[in-house]
Amino acid sequence: MKHTLPPLPYAYNALEPHIDSRTMEIHHTKHHQTYVDKLNAALDRHPELAERPLDDLMKNLATLSIPAADKKAIRNHGGGHLNHSLFWTIMGPRKEIDQALVTDIEKSFGSISEFKRQFTDKAAAHFGSGWAWLVRDEKGKFKLYSLPNQDSPVLKSHAPVIGLDVWEHAYYLKYQNRRPEYIEAWWHALKLLP
Ligand code: MN
């Protein structure tokens, strides 16, 4: 089973002016495609893993009997594939509020604005490439953190809910070094929350 690039569920320019069309196109067709290709290349060396769902491989990465370099490739490129596949679907040209999620966030963080403040801090403070995450842990409890590179929360058996890509490739063309401006604009592109 080859992994494939999922189609973007909207046009490349659909998130303008918050995220520009050129960034979306390169991000999807070049960056995400490369994660898919390199994940497939690593799995091609281990046909016994071909039918295992990616989530399952990520959760059990430490126990797989494969060379360290291939584990690293699955961690990086499998993570990149999982992370971006989620990222495209939580954004959209129109708000599609997830009311159950809103209620849960209000219960855990007090308010949506307080959640956004804490999440923004994690995303802004993350040093170098990586992602800010809202996840549910093994007990279903929300956790907020950032992870480096393409590390997926699934590596920790956490379920990603909201992820924000803070690699420069996600914002540099429009925002250059101004990551805080990108984060501020991104809340408009995130369709799940008001
Ligand atoms: Mn990215």
Side-chain angles (χ1 to χ4, degrees), residues 135-155:
V135 304
R136 292 186 193 272
D137 70 11
E138 311 85 323
K139 294 176 184 144
K141 197 170 170 318
F142 280 139
K143 283 201 156 55
L144 196 55
Y145 51 68
S146 69
L147 293 177
N149 306 315
Q150 293 296 350
D151 281 1
S152 162
V154 176
L155 291 165

Side-chain angles (χ1 to χ4, degrees), residues 27 31 35 84 87-88 131 150 165 167 169-170:
H27 202 171
H31 292 279
Y35 297 126
H84 288 84
F87 191 53
W88 310 134
W131 291 68
Q150 293 296 350
D165 189 345
W167 283 56
H169 71 225

